[in-house]
Each structure stands twice: as structure tokens, then as C-alpha cells.
Amino acid sequence: MDRFVVGPSGPLSGSVTINGAKNSVLKCMAASLLAPGRHRIGNVPAITDVTIMADLLAALGPVASHHGKGSDGWLEIDVPDGIQPIAPYELVERIRASIVVLGPLLARAGHAVISLPGGDDFGGRPIDMHLGAFEKMGVEFTTEHGNVAGRCDRLMGAKVVLEFPSHTATDNVLMAATLAKGTTVIENAAREPEVADLADMLTSMGARIEGAGTSHIEVEGVDSLEPADHRCIPDRVETATFLAAVGLAGGEVLLRDARAEHMDMLLQKLAAMGVHCVPNADGLLASATGHLESVDVSTLPYPGVATDYKPFVVTLLAVADGVAVVSENVFAGRFRYVDELRRMGARITTEGHHAVIRGVPRLSGAPVKATDIRAGAALVLAGMVADGTTEVSGSDHVDRGYEDLAGRLRAIGADVDRSGAAESPAGAASDG
Ligand code: UD1
């Protein structure tokens, strides 16, 4: 079976280039639906989620081809004049981000059928905010046989107040609003840098958007858009992964292209733990001695500490000096990987959406299982501070969001290998 094989590692040294942001790339791929013609999207890593999104686009009409590797990877997407606005179950259920095709499909075709989306295995992920927003914009929905079907004459600009600053709901409404008649206002919009990046792509296509990256976004609809040539921002969650690697194993590593301004709150928390980051012209220089202090952390919507960082934070705290409380405020039940860390000797108890972590000096290598993208990567890192060998199965989850994680960790001195099938997104499955 394909898995990561990890041995005690550190100190780390050298440099690693941070690839394009998964949660930006996937939305930019969906945005291509808004304009016929040939789009080019740069900084696209070779990860399974990109492959699945390309397959989903193919089912809708556009043909995407991926070229190059790492931060030199890019996509060419040919979008035909007519699109087929039916998103099939077998693709939608594999990837949460698939819901973001709904807005572009409604905007382009006036109707769309999409099955209820899948995603990582951390609690229910409803889409009521997406549907409520589109209803405000004039769409009528019916639900049958696990599908949601929406229909409208033309999307109408509207004031949309989100109950929670949902990232994908903001993306979805933002994209739909670009071709709606009149002005759309999104209040309590998500402020993630990836939302601003998507807005940059849409603006380059001719969309009229103000306020993206703030909680108040205004979009004045236009009649048509042009194909895009856009380069996506670097992935702040991948940056956090490598920062955690340095924190755990110690050393000094340059994270090329990493953007400190996209992760201020996490960097403050990491500094308090003993992981130091200095931005420079090339990216972010991270250093740590391997000795970590405990701090309490709560996840919150951006600009708070992102829920996606939490497995790395918990892993760092598992070997930090002292006791810490980590609270999850975005998704229910996102602590499944804690059982796996416990099998490695971590002293963690969970109660509802809180985890109490009593640091131990080192972990103990064991066979463990990845349950989602980030949890899987965190278990790989945990193996670097564990005595003996750690084998992380479920590596297909990790491939959903990382290109060649083992090779890139090895390049900075970590003892991380892949056994079984080659590390490649091709053919890798995800349970969505
Ligand atoms: C996005 C990211 C994911 C990240 C998350 C939070 C993508 C593809 N994924 O997910 O990596 O962990 O933001 O930063 O960009 N909710 C509702 N109704 C809705 C929509 C959401 O109740 O219609 C709730 C969710 O259950 C959750 C919270 O809102 O409790 C936040 O979810 P949301 O921001 O929408 O997360 P995603 O956009 O799915």
C-alpha cells in the first residue's frame, strides 16, 4: 500500500519553493466557465484536486491541460461557447470546492444541476448560504435524487448578507455577480487572500469588483467577460506545513515565495512557540531550535488562525513545553487525527470543539492513517519528531493538496520517503 515512511529528522536546512494555493487555483478554474475562449492560469501545482476539478470542467465542456511542475505548473483551459450545466455526482462528491461551479453555471447558462458536494471528512458541510444567496439573486431551486437544480432568467444583482463569512459561498456569489444584471453587495464576506486573488482574476477578465479581501464586496455586473491570464498566489497552508516542519525538527529554511502578510496571526502564534520567521525579498526565512513553548490557539475565519492550520499547530504543541488548549470555531469534529497522534504517544484529550494538549519531549513512531489532506501532512511531520519509524497510510489524501511532499521535505534534510506507488496525483482517489 502506498504510504509515507518517516524517520527522526533535523535540523533542516536549505530552501523550498511554496506552490500555488489550492483554494485559489480551484476557484480560478471554476471562474474560467464565465468566459468562452482560452484561459491561462499560472502557479498551478500537480495535485489530485486540480485533476478532479479539470475532470469536472471537462464534464461541463471546458478542456483543461496541465503543464510543468511546482510553481512553474500552469493550466490552459479552453472554454467553449456552449456549456453543459450539469455537474455529475461522481466528480462533485470527491471535492468540496466543486460547489463553486454553481455560481458560474447559473451566470452563464441560467440553470444548473449539481449534486450535494463532498469534501474532507470533518463534519457536515452544508450549502444553505450558497443557495440562499442565489435565491436573493433570482434563482429558484428544487432538490431531488441528491441533486440541486437551479433556474433563473438572468441573475439579478442583490444585497447578500452571509450569516458566516463562508469562503466558498463568497467565491460563488462573487463569480455569479460578475455577469448579473445590476449591482451585488456581499456583506460579511470572507476576507481570505484567496478571495482577493479570485477577484484579481475576475477583474483581469473585465469584471467590476470593489472591496474583495474585505467583509464588504460590491460587484457591478457586466454583459460578458474575456478569458484570463492569471497567476495564483502561493499557498499559505503549504507555507504553514513547512513552518511546522522547521518548528518540529529545528534548523533554518527559506520558504521561497511564501507571503507573511497572508498569515500574520499564525506567525504571531508560531513566534510565541519558538518558530521565528523573517520575511525577505525571496519569501520567508524560518528558523527554530527544536525547543517549543505551549500557547493556546483558537481557529477563526480570516484573518484569524485558519482551521486548515490546526493539525500543524496541534502537532507542534504535542511536543512543546507545557499545556495548551486549542479550540475549533469553524468546523465541528475536526479532531479525528488526534487519535492517530495519541497512538504516537501524544497526550491530547478532546472535549467538543476543544483539545487540551500536554506536551511530551518526543513522540514514538507507529503506523498511522491520514484522514484528510492537512491531517495527513501533519502526521508525516509528527514522524520527524518520533523515535523509530512512522508509516502514514492514506497518502492519497495528502496528494489531494501537496505535490511531492516527501521529495520536498527530503530536499531540506528530512528523512521522509514514499513506499508503494509513485507519488503522483494521477489516479489517486479521495473519499471527497
Ligand atoms: C473553505 C476551504 C477550506 C477551509 C474553510 C474554512 C475551499 C475549497 N475550502 O471551505 O479549506 O477549511 O474554507 O477556512 O476553499 N457553512 C454553512 N452553510 C454554508 C456554507 C458553510 O453552515 O452554506 C458553515 C460550514 O459548515 C462551516 C463554516 O460555515 O462551519 C465555514 O465554512 P466555509 O467557510 O464555507 O468553508 P468552505 O468554504 O467549505
Side-chain angles (χ1 to χ4, degrees), residues 323-334:
V323 180
V325 178
V326 171
S327 302
E328 169 61 57
N329 296 308
V330 180
F331 286 109
R334 208 178 181 183

Side-chain angles (χ1 to χ4, degrees), residues 23 27 96-97 124-130 164 166-168 192 307-308 330-331 334:
N23 285 347
K27 320 311 172 50
R96 166 70 184 176
R125 301 183 88 170
I127 57 166
D128 54 311
M129 279 190 250
H130 301 247
F164 182 93
S166 159
H167 186 165
T168 46
E192 271 81 355
T307 180
D308 290 356
V330 180
F331 286 109
R334 208 178 181 183

Side-chain angles (χ1 to χ4, degrees), residues 39-345:
H39 300 250
R40 184 187 161 108
I41 303 175
N43 206 8
V44 177
I47 55 177
T48 317
D49 275 11
V50 167
T51 310
I52 300 170
M53 190 56 130
D55 289 346
L56 176 55
L57 288 183
L60 303 169
V63 177
S65 52
H66 188 263
H67 308 270
K69 286 187 155 212
S71 59
D72 292 326
W74 58 280
L75 277 174
E76 186 173 86
I77 307 179
D78 278 309
V79 179
D81 287 330
I83 48 177
Q84 159 82 2
I86 299 175
Y89 170 76
E90 56 279 11
L91 294 169
V92 170
E93 61 100 21
R94 293 183 69 191
I95 180 177
R96 166 70 184 176
S98 54
I99 187 63
V100 298
V101 300
L102 182 58
L105 290 178
L106 289 168
R108 270 296 297 286
H111 65 282
V113 178
I114 185 167
S115 63
L116 293 166
D120 291 295
D121 186 12
F122 39 78
R125 301 183 88 170
I127 57 166
D128 54 311
M129 279 190 250
H130 301 247
L131 303 186
F134 291 135
E135 279 170 348
K136 281 247 158 103
M137 298 175 79
V139 182
E140 285 182 13
F141 287 103
T142 52
T143 307
E144 51 192 40
H145 309 304
N147 291 324
V148 178
R151 188 167 285 280
C152 60
D153 291 333
R154 181 180 173 187
L155 286 170
M156 303 296 290
K159 180 173 175 178
V160 170
V161 183
L162 295 177
E163 194 179 320
F164 182 93
S166 159
H167 186 165
T168 46
T170 304
D171 292 330
N172 230 341
V173 178
L174 174 63
M175 286 189 276
T178 59
L179 290 179
K181 188 170 166 50
T183 303
T184 299
V185 175
I186 312 174
E187 293 289 6
N188 200 21
R191 290 181 279 168
E192 271 81 355
E194 295 78 17
V195 174
D197 194 35
L198 172 63
D200 281 347
M201 168 162 159
L202 294 168
T203 303
S204 79
M205 294 165 71
R208 299 203 190 137
I209 302 170
E210 276 182 21
T214 76
S215 53
H216 175 97
I217 302 178
E218 285 195 29
V219 186
E220 199 188 317
V222 296
D223 288 334
S224 64
L225 295 169
E226 298 294 319
D229 183 353
H230 177 75
R231 185 174 170 81
C232 291
I233 57 170
D235 198 315
R236 61 200 163 96
V237 191
E238 185 171 280
T239 303
T241 313
F242 283 99
L243 288 175
V246 174
L248 290 163
E252 185 178 88
V253 176
L254 173 65
L255 311 186
R256 285 188 193 282
D257 296 344
R259 303 264 288 267
E261 70 274 22
H262 291 169
M263 46 201 313
D264 287 326
M265 199 68 80
L266 179 74
L267 295 187
Q268 279 181 39
K269 288 288 177 186
L270 290 178
M273 286 184 210
V275 186
H276 300 289
C277 301
V278 181
N280 63 27
D282 297 317
L284 204 51
L285 187 63
S287 61
T289 61
H291 177 84
L292 297 165
E293 294 289 337
S294 290
V295 293
D296 294 341
V297 178
S298 293
T299 64
L300 282 172
Y302 193 85
V305 174
T307 180
D308 290 356
Y309 301 146
K310 201 181 56 199
F312 309 115
V313 169
V314 168
T315 304
L316 286 162
L317 293 171
V319 291
D321 204 4
V323 180
V325 178
V326 171
S327 302
E328 169 61 57
N329 296 308
V330 180
F331 286 109
R334 208 178 181 183
F335 280 118
R336 273 185 59 188
Y337 57 94
V338 162
D339 290 337
E340 303 300 296
L341 284 175
R342 269 200 288 256
R343 300 186 60 246
M344 297 178 70

